Amino acid sequence: MTSTLGRSDRHAPPDDDHLDPERFRILLGTAARVPAVTLAVVATLVVTTMVVANSDLTGIYAAIAGTWLALHQVTLTIDGTSLGVLPLLPTAVLVWQAARGAASAADAIVENSGYALDRQDVSRITAATLAGPLVVTSAALIVLQDAASVLPVTPPNPAAALGWVTGTYLLASVIGIGSRVWRPLVRYYAVPEWLVLAFRPALRVLLGLFALGGIVVVAGLLWSWEVVGELLARGDHWTGVLGLTVLSILYLPNVVIGAAAVLAGSTVHFGEMHLSLFEATGGDLPVLPVLAAIPSGPAAPFWPVLLAVPATIGALLGRFAAQRTLQAQADGAAVGSTDAAWTVLAAAAGAGVVTAAATWVAGGPLGVFGTVGATWWLAGVLVFSWAGLLGIITAQLLMWREGRLAAAALRAEAAAETVSDETSDLSEDETETEDSPAVEESETLAIEAPGDGTDPEDEQGPADEQDAGGKDTAREKDTGTAAGDADDDVGGSTGAAEADSARSTGEKPTTDDVIDAEIVEIEDEPATAEEKSRTRTGEDVPDEADTEVASKAEKGAD
């Protein structure tokens, strides 16, 4: 299906207002399609019924005209009996077909012209949708006026008949054309967002209420199945049974609407019979099988529990409005709990208005039974009250809860960020604290090392001196020296030890027997190949300072 949206930016409408042949053909088809098809179906059904019933075909045109008016909820008076409670199912089918025709005409005009619908196109489509049915209605009124002279039929009020037909097809035009242009209209008139969001929940409220009403009707029919069988048996023949079955199906929407009104808390009147969730007074009913779903009374104690149905629907309305508002907030829209409340109120008001209108259309005068149907204004007020009150309470509670959860989540996130920042700061401080002693220790070692005057290799000096002394003693024994020489060697070794001790403590040697030896700070030299090999094999490497002191001591001994 071709969309009518977004074309005004690409194509400018023409300046002339003439009606081209293609557009005229589209409008003519819109005006004639629904009435022609409806008349063909009505004529076929009337002729078939009259032939099967072996009836005279004299009043066939009056029957067709009366059926056309009855399809549009026009009250008929036959033999002095008013028939104002007419089946809603055929009327709903007509509205649906007319709405489809108007939407198809809008799409065809846009496809043909290449630009979006303007006001003139909308008015032309609406006029075409109304023109055909109004012409047929005028002809039907003339036929009934002429047949009233020979048949027990009273022509209806022409104004009322034309008003019902106009209202029916005007509603169809609004639905059909509105389904194509509602988005541009919303943007053009700057309709509040909460009002736009209220359409879908209002439709859900209506569908839910009528669906549960249908479930109640089906349950009542199953509970009273024996009564349904008895009423069908009054048809005497298969044609009668078929006629009663068809009538029951056609009147099923009327009964469902009445059941929905009762669920909301309203009261249904059918002659002397009164039915609500709190009382049930029996009475005479027409011989129609679908009416067997109406209980004869008295009211059961558990019936008031069914008030939970509209209450649940209202709570679901509030939940839906809260979800849509929260989604809009997540998308960045500046909406809040007030917008959710307005959405609930708008949806509840729309559902209440439609319920009241449907209840009013579903009822009417019915001969000796008087006014039949539920109290339409009470049904509308109750639906609005249930949906609005429970919806607002539920929506506000959900918005409050989500707000608290969001605030708690923000606080938890802020606390987590604070803890992570503190943890990172502590880790940085610990890292600095661990690094600073190492730096101080390395600096202390670097400062103290030159002041000691010692070399790590000098710490093994005494052991090396003993080794050196032992080697000197062995050397003297090998040369066959005397005991005096041994004493000198001991004295020389003692002097060398004292000199080494004085050098390690930083004091001057006081022994006179030791030759003055200059203390020289020996710098580390690269290890020779022999020292490296000894280091690898684990042997002791003689200290150079000890070797020099030992050699000087040996010379002094000599």
Side-chain angles (χ1 to χ4, degrees):
M1 182 175 292
T2 305
S3 176
T4 62
L5 304 178
R7 294 181 178 269
S8 58
D9 298 335
R10 297 177 293 171
H11 302 279
D15 297 332
D16 56 340
D17 296 334
H18 71 282
L19 189 62
D20 57 273
E22 181 63 23
R23 194 175 303 176
F24 179 77
R25 184 189 65 81
I26 294 171
L27 296 176
L28 183 62
T30 303
R33 184 179 299 111
V34 174
V37 174
T38 304
L39 282 177
V41 173
V42 168
T44 302
L45 291 176
V46 169
V47 171
T48 303
T49 302
M50 296 180 72
V51 169
V52 170
N54 296 322
S55 177
D56 188 8
L57 298 179
T58 304
I60 187 172
Y61 296 108
I64 294 174
T67 304
W68 168 266
L69 294 175
L71 291 177
H72 296 85
Q73 300 298 310
V74 179
T75 301
L76 299 176
T77 303
I78 302 174
D79 199 9
T81 302
S82 297
L83 183 60
V85 184
L86 298 168
L88 286 177
L89 184 58
T91 307
V93 173
L94 283 178
V95 171
W96 176 61
Q97 289 292 336
R100 286 189 58 189
S104 300
D107 293 336
I109 289 177
V110 169
E111 187 70 22
N112 179 54
S113 61
Y115 61 88
L117 291 176
D118 55 10
R119 295 181 179 178
Q120 189 173 13
D121 291 329
V122 171
S123 61
R124 286 173 177 173
I125 295 173
T126 304
T129 305
L130 294 173
L134 288 176
V135 170
V136 176
T137 301
S138 301
L141 290 173
I142 294 173
V143 170
L144 285 179
Q145 187 71 31
D146 183 63
S149 58
V150 294
L151 294 175
V153 121
T154 302
N157 187 357
L162 293 175
W164 275 104
V165 174
T166 302
T168 300
Y169 289 95
L170 187 61
L171 176 63
S173 300
V174 170
I175 295 174
I177 301 175
S179 64
R180 298 296 186 267
V181 300
W182 71 272
R183 293 180 186 274
L185 289 177
V186 166
R187 291 194 298 265
Y188 180 78
Y189 291 103
V191 178
E193 184 69 18
W194 56 265
L195 185 58
V196 178
L197 294 177
F199 175 78
R200 185 171 295 178
L203 185 61
R204 291 188 176 186
V205 169
L206 291 172
L207 292 178
L209 188 60
F210 292 150
L212 291 173
I215 293 174
V216 170
V217 171
V218 172
L221 290 175
L222 294 177
W223 183 265
S224 306
W225 185 250
E226 295 180 357
V227 180
V228 173
E230 292 176 0
L231 294 176
L232 288 174
R234 295 185 182 184
D236 295 334
H237 197 259
W238 69 270
T239 56
V241 174
L242 179 61
L244 291 175
T245 303
V246 171
L247 280 177
S248 297
I249 294 173
L250 295 179
Y251 274 102
L252 184 61
N254 301 61
V255 180
V256 168
I257 292 174
V262 170
L263 288 177
S266 183
T267 303
V268 171
H269 304 278
F270 210 117
E272 297 179 355
M273 188 210 73
H274 302 278
L275 177 64
S276 69
L277 294 179
F278 305 97
E279 64 172 349
T281 304
D284 295 333
L285 295 175
V287 185
L288 194 62
V290 71
L291 297 180
I294 300 176
S296 59
F302 67 89
W303 284 5
V305 179
L306 295 176
L307 290 175
V309 170
T312 304
I313 293 175
L316 292 177
L317 169 62
R319 178 175 176 269
F320 180 78
Q323 288 179 347
R324 294 297 296 269
T325 304
L326 292 173
Q327 182 63 38
Q329 286 181 350
D331 295 338
V335 295
S337 58
T338 305
D339 298 273
W342 281 114
T343 300
V344 171
L345 287 177
V353 169
V354 174
T355 302
T359 306
W360 176 62
V361 174
L366 187 61
V368 296
F369 297 98
T371 302
V372 174
T375 307
W376 60 272
W377 62 268
L378 182 59
V381 170
L382 289 173
V383 170
F384 170 74
S385 301
W386 283 111
L389 181 61
L390 273 298
I392 286 180
I393 293 174
T394 304
Q396 296 304 312
L397 287 177
L398 290 177
M399 294 291 294
W400 175 75
R401 188 193 68 174
E402 292 297 330
R404 286 179 59 87
L405 292 177
L410 290 176
R411 289 195 299 269
E413 184 178 356
E417 291 179 357
T418 303
V419 171
S420 63
D421 293 339
E422 293 178 355
T423 305
S424 61
D425 294 340
L426 290 175
S427 62
E428 291 177 359
D429 295 341
E430 291 177 358
T431 304
E432 293 177 358
T433 305
E434 291 175 357
D435 293 343
S436 58
V439 175
E440 292 177 358
E441 182 178 358
S442 61
E443 291 177 355
T444 303
L445 292 175
I447 292 172
E448 292 178 354
D452 291 343
T454 59
D455 196 302
E457 295 179 358
D458 294 341
E459 295 178 357
Q460 298 177 356
D464 294 337
E465 289 173 0
Q466 292 177 4
D467 295 338
K471 291 178 181 179
D472 294 338
T473 305
R475 200 182 294 116
E476 292 294 333
K477 288 180 180 182
D478 292 339
T479 56
T481 58
D485 295 336
D487 296 334
D488 295 334
D489 185 33
V490 172
S493 301
T494 305
E498 292 177 358
D500 185 53
S501 174
R503 182 169 56 85
S504 62
T505 59
E507 300 179 355
K508 295 181 179 181
T510 57
T511 306
D512 297 332
D513 297 337
V514 180
I515 300 175
D516 294 336
E518 183 180 1
I519 299 175
V520 179
E521 184 178 355
I522 301 173
E523 297 181 357
D524 294 338
E525 296 181 357
T528 61
E530 182 179 359
E531 292 174 351
K532 292 180 180 181
S533 61
R534 289 180 179 181
T535 302
R536 286 192 299 267
T537 56
E539 297 179 0
D540 294 333
V541 180
D543 190 0
E544 293 181 359
D546 296 339
T547 305
E548 184 177 357
V549 171
S551 63
K552 287 183 180 182
E554 186 177 350
K555 289 179 181 181
D558 293 338

